[in-house]
């Protein structure tokens, strides 16, 4: 469904162009959950933003292809891209505090992409939004519908973000570190929620994280990125149990485990 | 409570004793001539514990539970509290979570490290430089870093500088507030090892505050679990991790995602 | 830094013009071709010649020399004003921003009161109390500009006072004064720099305005505003006088506005 072939991303807002992603390849099937792991500056978020079509076309030069159902998102018209954005490809960000508009009610924000992409009436939108809020397991959707973001906790906000991302029943959900800013107990809940949604709706998930244990729990395949390149990829268990690259080995050995640190 | 909490152990070992601590918070920004003093909220409720020299004690809890307020009470930054905080030695120091905010961006690393010595006025110029150089080597960096400014350094390097800065006044206790949660995993590992090494070699006690139970387990010998301003359970690492009593501790442990 | 300057046209031109004006000001204060106040009745309203490149005014004073000296005076007044304003503003801003609470409330309400009056009106009051003259203008304007600076500095201190490095300095035992002026102040320089440039412009304009109205620098001292007011009477006989004085004011302000905008873009 999604094929990224030889994607290279260059920054052009400085005097000398700076390449941040080299030869990035990715294949994502329907209903699959693929993880991208790497440390800060590895290019994992940059690749994800490129797939979501959120990188500026002016300041960043991109080579390669991002094929979604056979259409190249890099070269298609802006109108086509906008049709896909939010409708077929949607995204959840790391920071649930800033990714919701503080002056709009939750219900309005979740329904926004329906208002943009469909011709549904207000009542239909309302009932779809309420159903969605229920699907992300928010207690008392009717109540949450009329609340403002600051009245919700971090975990609830992230659920709202997921609801807003899923309202148009997208084929791909890109989740960029969706649990990093959350408390541990909430983190586990959100991961489980994503897994359940994937099983129920068949939405493919591209999961970006620096946390390998989370990736292992959620994803079936994984790409390891380092300095803008994919250094290793494959089945999650295969990569974890039998890492081939030095960097992957280092990354895996650095995962905090329930064991005493030895000097 | 048993083991290290045993009363038979010599009390001279105890370098920090907190008993019946209640702390309050008042929003200073909302205070004014017309608005009175702002609302006073209780953040910590009846917190009691001890730290002995050379121990690494973990404090776990979720955001907003009062972990950082407890640290600030011990350090004397938060003054609105009752209960007793007894230090055996003066001047506990702190390592902060965000290595980008805890070093003054306008100064060089050398200046920053020298500042505590300058304030105390104990040493003369050449001795100060010698001590700064000693400290920076102790945290695994070298003299070439002294002329750089914080924004030229990576997160891990900054955190090393922060640790060196905390060590500058030779404290007996360091409070590390989420010292690795802003860092990449491979860097996390290095910083934890550095803290453990300093603990072993210099015998510095560390109050290690974190939300990450795995990280806490990896370095701490004693653990306290905090919820809504109360310490709901405390004990040795084995007791907390293998035989948790309080439902909240159990819930925390259940949500640990392990690879 | 070098690359940034090349990228930043405004900063570059601003520096060039301001540098040029600075050189002219130094020349004007020390080495004018003629004494700017020396009257020579024989060359009253003399035209442009080799001896007088811009001609002479109604008292036979060399206009070119007077403009140079005028730039010198105006710039001195502006620098003095900004200096007084910045020092006062920094002290007030630092105290209010750092301590907050009641100190903040009281000083800032006082600040608002000063800001609420039109600056020129307050300057008039000051001058009528202290009497006109270069140094009194400087003091009056400096005090008037201080609240604006205080506001900006306060914002920076408010932002910085809860940052970890300030907490860590406290833990080391640094006193409040040391934290304010050694630890936090250098971090406010960036913001200060562009406000200084804007303040300088306002000071030039205010001085010119006041001198034009006769409550600023007193004759026979040369000042751009004063000269503009004198040139008014000879606008048709000697238009060059007014035009050259005007151009000098424009260049002074243009240079500094470009410099300040350039600095802001660089930040």
């Amino acid at each position: 469904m999604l094929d990224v072939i030889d994607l290279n991303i260059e920054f052009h807002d400085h005097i000398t162009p700076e390449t941040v992603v080299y030869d990035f390849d990715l294949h994502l099937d329907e209903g699959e959950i693929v993880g991208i792991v790497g440390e800060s500056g590895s290019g994992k978020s940059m690749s994800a933003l490129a797939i979501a079509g959120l990188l500026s076309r002016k300041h960043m030069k991109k080579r390669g292809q991002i094929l979604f159902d056979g259409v190249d998102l890099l070269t298609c018209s802006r109108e086509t891209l906008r049709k896909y954005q939010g409708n077929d490809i949607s995204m959840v960000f790391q920071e649930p505090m800033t990714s919701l508009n503080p002056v709009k009610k939750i219900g309005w924000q979740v329904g926004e992409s329906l208002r943009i992409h469909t011709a549904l009436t207000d009542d239909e939108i309302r009932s779809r939004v309420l159903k969605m809020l229920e699907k992300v397991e928010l207690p008392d959707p009717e109540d949450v519908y009329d609340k403002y973001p600051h009245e919700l906790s971090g975990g609830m906000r992230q659920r709202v973000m997921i609801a807003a991302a899923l309202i148009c029943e997208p084929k791909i959900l890109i989740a960029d570190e969706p649990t990093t800013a959350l408390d541990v107990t909430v983190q586990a809940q959100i991961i489980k929620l994503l897994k359940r949604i994937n099983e129920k709706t068949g939405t493919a998930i591209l999961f970006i994280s620096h946390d390998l244990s989370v990736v292992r729990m959620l994803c079936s395949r994984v790409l390891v990125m380092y300095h803008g390149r994919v250094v290793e990829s494959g089945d999650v268990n295969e990569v974890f149990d039998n890492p081939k690259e030095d960097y992957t080995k280092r990354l895996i050995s650095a995962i905090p485990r329930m064991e005493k640190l030895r000097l | 409570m048993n083991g290290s909490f045993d009363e038979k152990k010599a009390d001279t070992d105890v370098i920090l004793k907190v008993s019946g601590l209640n702390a309050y918070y008042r929003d200073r920004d909302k205070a004014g001539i017309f608005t009175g003093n702002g609302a006073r909220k209780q953040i910590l409720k009846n917190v009691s514990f001890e730290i002995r020299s050379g121990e690494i004690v973990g404090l776990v809890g979720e955001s907003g539970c009062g972990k950082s307020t407890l640290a600030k009470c011990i350090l004397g930054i938060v003054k609105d509290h009752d209960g007793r905080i007894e230090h055996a030695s003066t001047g506990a120091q702190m390592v902060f979570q965000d290595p980008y905010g805890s070093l003054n961006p306008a100064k060089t690393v050398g200046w920053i490290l020298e500042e505590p010595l300058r304030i105390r006025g104990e040493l003369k110029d050449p001795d100060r430089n010698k001590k700064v150089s000693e400290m920076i080597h102790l945290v695994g960096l070298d003299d070439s870093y002294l002329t750089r400014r914080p924004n030229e350094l990576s997160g891990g390097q900054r955190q090393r500088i922060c640790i060196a800065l905390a060590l500058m006044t030779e404290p007996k206790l360091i409070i590390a507030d989420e010292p690795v949660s802003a860092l990449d995993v491979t860097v996390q590992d290095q910083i934890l090892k550095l803290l453990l090494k300093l603990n072993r070699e210099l015998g510095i006690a560390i109050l290690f505050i974190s939300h990450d139970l795995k990280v806490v387990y990896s370095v701490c010998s004693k653990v306290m679990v905090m919820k809504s301003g109360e310490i709901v359970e405390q004990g040795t690492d084995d007791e907390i991790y293998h035989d948790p009593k309080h439902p909240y501790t159990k819930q925390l442990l259940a949500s640990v995602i392990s690879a | 830094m070098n690359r940034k300057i090349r990228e930043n046209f405004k900063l570059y031109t601003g520096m060039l013009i301001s540098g040029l004006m600075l050189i002219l000001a130094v020349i004007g204060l020390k080495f004018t071709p003629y004494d700017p106040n020396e009257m020579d009745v024989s060359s009253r309203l003399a035209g442009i010649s080799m001896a007088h490149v811009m001609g002479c005014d109604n008292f036979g004073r060399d206009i070119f020399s007077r403009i140079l000296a005028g730039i010198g005076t105006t710039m001195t007044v502006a620098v003095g004003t900004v200096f007084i304003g910045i020092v006062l503003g920094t002290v007030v801003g630092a105290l209010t921003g750092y301590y907050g609470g009641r100190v903040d409330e009281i000083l800032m309400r006082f600040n608002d009161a000063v800001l609420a009056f039109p600056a020129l009106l307050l300057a008039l009051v000051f001058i009528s109390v202290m009497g006109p003259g270069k140094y009194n203008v400087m003091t009056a304007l400096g005090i008037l500009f201080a609240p604006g600076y205080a506001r900006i500095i306060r914002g920076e201190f408010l932002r910085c006072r809860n940052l970890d490095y300030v907490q860590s300095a406290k833990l080391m035992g640094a006193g409040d004064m040391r934290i304010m002026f050694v630890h936090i102040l250098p971090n406010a320089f960036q913001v200060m720099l562009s406000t200084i440039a804007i303040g300088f412009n306002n000071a030039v304009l205010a001085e010119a305005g006041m001198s034009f109205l006769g409550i600023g620098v007193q004759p026979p001292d040369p000042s751009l505003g004063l000269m503009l007011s004198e040139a008014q009477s000879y606008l048709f006989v000697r238009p060059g006088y007014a035009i050259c004085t005007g151009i000098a004011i424009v260049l002074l302000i243009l240079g500094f506005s470009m410099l300040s905008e350039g600095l802001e873009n660089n930040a």
Side-chain angles (χ1 to χ4, degrees):
Chain A
M1 175 179 52
L2 178 77
D3 269 297
V4 182
I5 303 161
D6 271 342
L7 178 69
N8 283 267
I9 303 174
E10 265 177 26
F11 272 106
H12 274 265
D13 50 359
H14 291 292
I15 292 276
T16 47
E18 196 181 336
T19 309
V20 286
V21 175
Y22 302 89
D23 306 330
F24 180 85
D25 282 285
L26 171 76
H27 175 79
L28 188 64
D29 271 329
E30 267 157 63
E32 211 182 7
I33 307 185
V34 172
I36 303 180
V37 289
E39 298 183 292
S40 47
S42 63
K44 56 186 194 310
S45 289
M46 226 24 104
S47 316
L49 287 172
I51 294 168
L54 291 177
L55 288 186
S56 135
R57 287 190 165 189
K58 210 161 138 197
H59 297 297
M60 274 164 221
K61 211 173 192 166
K62 283 151 278 185
R63 278 186 291 117
Q65 287 177 302
I66 300 176
L67 296 174
F68 178 74
D69 281 344
V71 180
D72 188 351
L73 298 183
L74 286 183
T75 52
C76 71
S77 69
R78 272 162 204 270
E79 284 69 35
T80 323
L81 182 65
R82 209 164 296 142
K83 212 178 71 209
Y84 286 125
Q85 277 176 354
N87 203 4
D88 289 315
I89 303 175
S90 60
M91 191 151 177
V92 179
F93 298 94
Q94 171 174 353
E95 197 46 75
M97 304 290 171
T98 51
S99 37
L100 285 169
N101 188 337
V103 298
K104 296 283 186 188
K105 286 184 178 166
I106 296 299
W108 188 90
Q109 301 198 43
V110 174
E112 178 65 357
S113 57
L114 281 180
R115 231 165 281 129
I116 295 169
H117 291 287
T118 65
L120 295 175
T121 64
D122 283 357
D123 287 343
E124 284 169 321
I125 289 179
R126 189 185 159 87
S127 73
R128 286 270 293 271
V129 168
L130 286 174
K131 226 180 269 167
M132 201 62 232
L133 290 177
E134 211 177 303
K135 224 183 240 171
V136 295
E137 294 156 23
L138 276 164
D140 205 356
E142 295 270 354
D143 187 41
V144 172
Y145 190 94
D146 284 320
K147 280 197 161 147
Y148 288 98
H150 67 90
E151 297 175 271
L152 304 180
S153 69
M156 283 167 86
R157 278 193 209 131
Q158 201 58 295
R159 283 171 196 270
V160 169
M161 284 306 298
I162 293 172
L166 293 176
I167 191 85
C168 281
E169 293 165 1
K171 294 186 178 142
I172 302 173
L173 174 68
I174 300 173
D176 189 2
E177 306 255 14
T179 61
T180 311
L182 304 174
D183 278 327
V184 263
T185 44
V186 183
Q187 228 174 57
Q189 291 164 11
I190 296 287
I191 299 292
K192 282 174 192 150
L193 172 71
L194 284 174
K195 188 131 201 164
R196 273 198 294 278
I197 284 174
N198 168 263
E199 279 159 11
K200 255 191 257 170
T201 62
T203 303
I205 299 177
L206 187 59
F207 189 84
I208 292 121
S209 180
H210 71 280
D211 190 335
L212 282 90
S213 30
V214 171
V215 167
R216 178 163 205 185
M217 183 177 164
L218 185 68
C219 306
S220 56
R221 278 193 303 126
V222 65
L223 278 71
V224 182
M225 287 191 79
Y226 183 54
H227 285 332
R229 289 177 204 279
V230 176
V231 290
E232 189 161 358
S233 65
D235 180 77
V236 134
N237 292 321
E238 181 66 24
V239 170
F240 272 78
D241 297 335
N242 202 358
K244 304 224 163 30
E245 293 296 319
D246 276 349
Y247 178 69
T248 318
K249 283 178 195 161
R250 242 192 316 140
L251 209 56
I252 290 170
S253 74
I255 305 175
R257 282 165 230 273
M258 278 296 189
E259 57 189 43
K260 290 291 174 190
L261 191 69
R262 274 184 296 270
L263 289 176
Chain B
M1 309 293 163
N2 57 14
S4 46
F5 285 82
D6 202 336
E7 283 185 11
K8 272 178 262 170
K9 260 200 174 172
D11 258 6
T12 49
D13 262 11
V14 177
I15 54 166
L16 175 74
K17 186 173 179 166
V18 173
S19 36
L21 179 70
N22 294 293
Y24 309 89
Y25 173 75
R26 188 169 268 160
D27 202 340
R28 189 164 70 148
D29 294 325
K30 288 196 186 118
I33 299 174
F34 307 116
T35 48
N37 276 326
R40 192 172 184 240
K41 272 200 326 204
Q42 182 163 12
I43 306 293
L44 295 178
K45 291 165 205 148
N46 196 23
V47 171
S48 303
F49 65 93
E50 286 177 357
I51 295 179
R52 288 163 194 281
S53 72
E55 265 181 341
I56 306 186
V57 178
L59 176 62
V60 287
E62 306 201 320
S63 53
C65 74
K67 292 175 297 191
S68 297
T69 307
L70 176 56
K72 285 178 183 164
C73 282
I74 297 170
L75 294 167
I77 299 174
V78 170
K79 295 204 170 68
D80 190 5
H81 59 72
D82 47 57
R84 286 159 69 96
I85 300 174
E86 296 161 69
H87 290 272
S89 67
T90 48
Q93 287 295 330
M94 177 129 174
V95 175
F96 296 88
Q97 166 174 7
D98 176 17
Y100 292 88
S102 52
L103 296 173
N104 193 334
K107 306 285 183 182
T108 63
V109 169
W111 189 95
I112 293 170
L113 288 181
E114 214 182 318
E115 178 68 356
L117 302 177
R118 224 175 288 130
I119 292 169
R120 294 177 173 232
E122 282 163 5
L123 295 170
K124 292 266 178 298
D125 234 351
D127 292 333
R128 286 209 298 253
N129 290 335
K130 216 179 112 209
K131 180 139 191 212
V132 166
S133 163
E134 234 168 66
M135 232 22 117
I136 204 154
H137 282 97
L138 191 66
V139 296
L141 301 174
D142 58 60
D143 287 350
S144 68
Y145 287 88
L146 294 178
T147 50
R148 301 209 219 165
R149 273 171 215 278
N151 60 2
E152 299 166 42
L153 307 177
S154 71
Q157 287 164 344
R158 281 164 189 245
Q159 204 56 303
R160 282 174 196 271
I161 302 286
C162 292
I163 293 170
L165 180 61
L167 292 174
M168 225 54 221
T169 52
E170 298 177 355
K172 290 269 187 338
L173 172 68
I174 284 184
I175 298 176
D177 189 0
E178 304 266 9
V180 297
S181 47
L183 305 173
D184 279 327
V185 264
T186 48
V187 183
Q188 265 184 24
D189 197 48
Q190 294 161 11
I191 296 295
L192 288 174
K193 279 184 176 147
L194 174 64
L195 284 173
L196 201 58
K197 189 188 95 171
L198 294 171
N199 168 260
R200 298 273 159 80
E201 288 175 7
L202 307 176
I204 292 177
I206 301 175
L207 176 60
F208 190 98
I209 301 175
S210 177
H211 69 278
D212 190 331
L213 281 96
K214 289 182 280 188
V215 169
V216 166
Y217 186 78
S218 70
V219 293
C220 300
S221 55
K222 250 168 60 181
V223 181
M224 305 187 281
V225 181
M226 187 171 243
K227 191 192 181 207
S228 321
E230 282 177 276
I231 293 184
V232 294
E233 188 165 5
Q234 58 178 316
T236 65
D237 48 348
D238 272 338
E239 287 166 354
I240 298 290
Y241 280 79
H242 299 124
D243 186 20
K245 299 279 189 304
H246 196 276
Y248 182 66
T249 315
K250 288 177 190 167
Q251 194 199 339
L252 274 180
L253 282 165
S255 40
V256 171
I257 299 160
S258 48
Chain C
M1 190 68 193
N2 267 329
R3 196 178 65 184
K4 272 186 182 163
I5 290 177
R6 240 180 294 132
E7 276 179 339
N8 200 332
F9 167 77
K10 273 185 185 155
L11 183 68
Y12 216 42
T13 342
M15 275 162 75
L16 198 77
I17 298 176
S18 304
L20 191 77
M21 296 313 279
L22 192 69
I23 294 168
L24 289 183
V26 171
I27 294 174
L29 287 174
K30 290 270 171 213
F31 324 98
T32 45
Y34 294 85
D35 181 345
N37 292 337
E38 189 193 273
M39 301 184 199
D40 177 6
V41 189
S42 64
S43 51
R44 276 188 63 190
L45 294 172
I48 296 169
S49 64
M50 283 304 281
H52 303 287
V53 280
M54 288 180 188
C56 289
D57 70 359
N58 55 324
F59 293 113
R61 297 175 294 197
D62 179 47
I63 291 180
F64 182 61
S65 300
R66 279 185 72 73
I67 284 183
L68 285 182
I71 293 172
T73 316
T74 301
M75 226 168 176
T76 318
V77 171
V79 168
T81 301
V82 170
F83 180 77
I84 294 171
I86 278 284
V87 170
L88 281 177
T90 304
V91 171
V92 172
L95 289 173
T96 53
Y98 183 76
Y99 286 113
R102 267 185 204 142
V103 183
D104 184 33
E105 193 86 10
I106 293 165
L107 280 173
M108 273 300 142
R109 291 302 79 81
F110 180 73
N111 232 355
D112 290 343
V114 176
L115 281 173
F117 285 100
L120 215 56
L121 200 69
L122 268 189
L124 251 168
V125 175
F126 273 108
I127 295 301
S128 58
V129 173
M130 301 191 294
K134 204 152 80 170
Y135 298 103
N136 288 348
V137 170
M138 241 187 243
T139 322
L141 287 179
I143 293 171
L144 288 179
F145 282 4
Y149 295 133
R151 204 140 262 259
I152 291 157
I153 302 288
R154 172 181 176 268
E156 280 303 289
F157 272 70
L158 209 57
R159 185 178 66 81
C160 290
R161 76 162 188 217
N162 287 326
L163 289 181
D164 287 345
Y165 67 81
V166 173
Q167 304 282 0
S168 124
K170 260 187 215 165
L171 288 180
M172 288 169 206
D176 284 347
M177 288 298 143
R178 189 174 179 87
I179 290 178
M180 275 188 255
F181 296 110
V182 180
H183 288 259
I184 302 182
L185 193 59
N187 290 290
F189 277 156
Q190 185 78 51
V191 199
M192 243 149 101
L193 224 53
S194 47
T195 43
I196 284 177
I198 296 166
F200 183 87
N201 282 343
N202 291 337
V204 168
L205 282 178
E207 187 275 326
M210 284 169 75
S211 300
F212 186 86
L213 294 174
I215 53 167
V217 178
Q218 293 300 301
D221 279 350
S223 134
L224 293 176
L226 189 61
M227 285 155 62
L228 210 53
S229 132
E230 285 170 3
Q232 212 179 195
S233 330
Y234 311 100
L235 209 52
F236 295 102
V237 192
R238 194 75 319 121
Y241 193 4
I243 291 172
C244 291
T245 316
I247 287 176
I249 296 177
V250 167
L251 281 181
L252 257 180
I253 289 172
L254 184 72
F256 262 87
S257 340
M258 289 183 97
L259 193 65
S260 71
E261 269 182 50
L263 283 173
E264 255 166 58
N265 291 348
N266 245 2

